[in-house]
Amino acid sequence: MSEPAWKNPAVKWIDERMPIFTVMRHSAIEYPTPKNLSYWWNFGSLSGFMLVLMIATGVVLAMQYTPNSELAFDSVERIMRDVNYGWLLRYVHMNGASFFFIAVYIHIFRGLYYGSYKTPRELLWWLGLVILILMMATAFMGYVLPWGQMSFWGATVITNLFSAIPLAGKHIVTWLWGGFAVDNPTLNRFFSLHYLLPFVIVAVVFLHLWALHTSKSNNPLGIDTKGPQDTIPFHPYYTVKDLFGLGVFLIVYLGVVFFVPNFFGEPDNFIPANPLSTPQHIVPEWYFLPYYAILRSIPDKLLGVIAMFSSIFVLFALPWLDFSRVRSARFRPVYKKVYWLLLIDVLVLGYVGANPPEGPILYVGRIATAYYFLHWLVIVPLIALFERPKPLPTSIGTPVLGAAAAASARTMEKA
Amino acid sequence: MASSAQSGAHGAQGAGVKRRDFLYLATGAAGAIGAAIAAWPFIYSMNPAADVLALSTVEVDLAPVQTGQRITVKWRSQPVFVAHRTEDEVKAADDVNLEELRDPQADSARVKKPEWLIMVGICTHLGCVPLGQKPSDPRGEWKGWFCPCHGSQYDTSGRIRKGPAPANLAIPQYAFLTDTTIRIG
């Protein structure tokens, strides 16, 4: 990288003392990006946008919200009725959680399809999983804050998961609650942590981007870029592509905010929390349903909890479970098929999680749970072992330009 | 002389390395222990506070509770079920082969007076409040309590009979102050 000569004297003065402008130019403008990225590569920056939007709306909402078990429910209703634009900020925040997860889940499944977790991007993949776990904790605690029936009983059920830990479980749960049940101390600490964790996410996002900019972006062909002829600068090419995608994403997201703002909500959460009465049917938010289905499919409490947490932890081992050296599913005929089976399996688990575990649903849930683990622990390694991948193109340009043209493009670049 | 100077220097260096290693380890250990001690107040502050603990007893007058009636009392912000059991319910709880129970416990070990069953009304699975306090509630196959969250069923002694819960409904500490008054906690 050549030192850019900054013309503006103030910029130059700062950059000589702390090269912030050079670093920004290097990583947001010049950053060499594969020239063949599809729209599936939009969802990283979309997730980043949602994180910023959630923090911005959250900071303003916190100025109006009261984290007290007597006052919380009414303070949320006050935001909805009396606070200027309170209804908008809350609906943007509330549905923002759902759309943040939509963006992140698509981002993850993009990575699974194109093998973005494979060497040299293992650490990048891990940091992404850490972000997912932090997001889940943040979303769970945020859902508790309005202190409706579903908030309260969701908090009760989820914190009780820790009581499955042998010996210390009961003490851990009391410690989490700060009492003998979910109550005001619990609400207070959840609010504190709900405010803290997004900033921890910001920090891990920086590490995620650092790892990304070290190993560089993967691409739909899953082959390495071989030189400048395979890349284009991030700005303006991908800034514009990301902005266009953002526009489309916002149409859908704000469509929900303005026209069906309670689409993802539960009617029970319009009833203030009552510690003496459990709603008939407790369901978590949609983005937790597959994990919830796994939890309920196992008849043993401790094993159910272990299986639920393992469903994410198994993904940390994925770079080694899938040791095939071909990244993109485009060149992996068998992996491509089981990839879609896995996606269907996860959707089935989501459906099961939304329904009471009775009759056929219970058995569907058990089969889907078994298949989920079978996929990662058996099927994926076996495919890596036996699959015969299709021949890889020699360069990113080849599939579009043909081999000869790609070669001449390379020589022109050199000349 | 040269050789003795060399061996002296070598000896000093060897001892120096060992002493340094020890100092590093000792400093590191002292730092780690200090950090752990400093972290303790932060962690322990999240345990129940004195005012939460102070709410730990509640007295209940049983006189108005009729035979067959079940009432719910709030204790430590948890529901406590007080059931005035009928003779049939007591008999059903007694006539159980303990070997078929998941968490074997005789009915007599769960009550102080057979007609009064007092227990924490929180499902031992994931903490929901089981149904069965009202006559109109579903009470499950054993006519006790039924948890709507994940389908656990309890008998007339509050023992787990079916479903994912691992243990019987918990019995809180309580004492009969008079024939018709109890203190829970």
Side-chain angles (χ1 to χ4, degrees), chain B residues 85-98 100-101 107 141-144 155-159 161:
Chain B
R85 299 192 292 182
T86 63
E87 278 180 27
D88 286 350
E89 286 176 331
V90 175
K91 195 170 172 330
D94 263 335
D95 292 349
V96 170
N97 179 7
L98 293 188
E100 58 187 64
L101 295 178
D107 184 56
E141 288 171 46
W142 287 270
K143 306 270 186 278
D155 65 12
T156 52
S157 186
R159 291 173 298 201
R161 302 302 288 270

Side-chain angles (χ1 to χ4, degrees), chain B residues 29-96:
Chain B
I33 293 167
I37 292 171
W40 184 246
F42 291 81
I43 296 166
Y44 200 76
S45 74
M46 288 171 68
N47 264 322
D51 62 331
V52 176
L53 293 171
L55 300 173
S56 291
T57 63
V58 63
E59 287 183 17
V60 187
D61 179 14
L62 300 179
V65 185
Q66 318 234 314
T67 309
Q69 199 182 352
R70 297 171 177 181
I71 62 162
T72 306
V73 184
K74 207 170 166 187
W75 170 63
R76 302 200 308 196
S77 68
Q78 297 171 306
V80 170
F81 290 171
V82 178
H84 193 172
R85 299 192 292 182
T86 63
E87 278 180 27
D88 286 350
E89 286 176 331
V90 175
K91 195 170 172 330
D94 263 335
D95 292 349
V96 170

Side-chain angles (χ1 to χ4, degrees), chain A residues 37-39 41-46 234 236-249:
Chain A
L37 298 190
S38 65
Y39 275 108
W41 263 259
N42 278 42
F43 290 87
S45 71
L46 280 178
F234 189 80
Y237 296 103
Y238 286 112
T239 43
V240 164
K241 190 162 183 164
D242 279 353
L243 278 174
F244 179 74
L246 176 65
V248 176
F249 188 78

Side-chain angles (χ1 to χ4, degrees), chain A residues 188-391:
Chain A
N188 268 284
R189 63 192 55 190
F190 277 20
F191 179 59
S192 165
L193 294 172
H194 183 70
Y195 207 120
L196 166 72
L197 287 185
F199 297 97
V200 178
I201 294 178
V202 169
V204 184
V205 165
F206 264 97
L207 298 178
H208 192 65
L209 287 174
W210 190 2
L212 172 72
H213 286 228
T214 305
S215 56
K216 303 283 187 262
S217 301
N218 188 24
N219 65 76
L221 296 175
I223 57 174
D224 292 328
T225 53
K226 301 224 164 60
Q229 75 279 1
D230 287 342
T231 64
I232 44 179
F234 189 80
H235 180 76
Y237 296 103
Y238 286 112
T239 43
V240 164
K241 190 162 183 164
D242 279 353
L243 278 174
F244 179 74
L246 176 65
V248 176
F249 188 78
L250 283 178
I251 288 172
V252 181
Y253 166 34
L254 294 180
V256 170
V257 166
F258 287 116
F259 295 102
V260 276
N262 289 304
F263 178 75
F264 295 107
E266 282 292 325
D268 270 312
N269 227 25
F270 286 99
I271 305 168
N274 176 2
L276 299 184
S277 154
T278 308
Q280 283 286 341
H281 185 201
I282 297 183
V283 274
E285 290 279 82
W286 68 267
Y287 37 80
F288 291 139
L289 288 175
Y291 314 105
Y292 194 58
I294 290 174
L295 168 76
R296 295 193 307 185
S297 295
I298 313 268
D300 182 87
K301 180 171 162 180
L302 178 61
L303 290 179
V305 173
I306 291 172
M308 187 183 73
F309 284 111
S310 305
S311 67
I312 290 185
F313 288 138
V314 73
L315 297 174
F316 281 91
L318 183 58
W320 295 273
L321 291 170
D322 179 7
F323 50 86
S324 165
R325 291 170 69 180
V326 177
R327 294 195 191 103
S328 174
R330 276 197 195 172
F331 307 105
R332 303 187 60 195
V334 187
Y335 176 82
K336 188 195 251 181
K337 290 202 180 76
V338 298
Y339 169 87
W340 292 111
L341 278 180
L342 175 79
L343 184 61
I344 292 167
D345 187 60
V346 170
L347 294 176
V348 167
L349 281 171
Y351 175 79
V352 168
N355 288 281
E358 297 156 358
I361 291 280
L362 181 65
Y363 294 98
V364 172
R366 286 188 182 162
I367 293 166
T369 300
Y371 183 80
Y372 180 86
F373 288 102
L374 206 65
H375 173 90
W376 303 116
L377 297 174
V378 180
I379 298 174
V380 160
L382 282 181
I383 291 173
L385 199 58
F386 291 114
E387 182 183 51
R388 215 186 148 141
K390 292 184 197 165

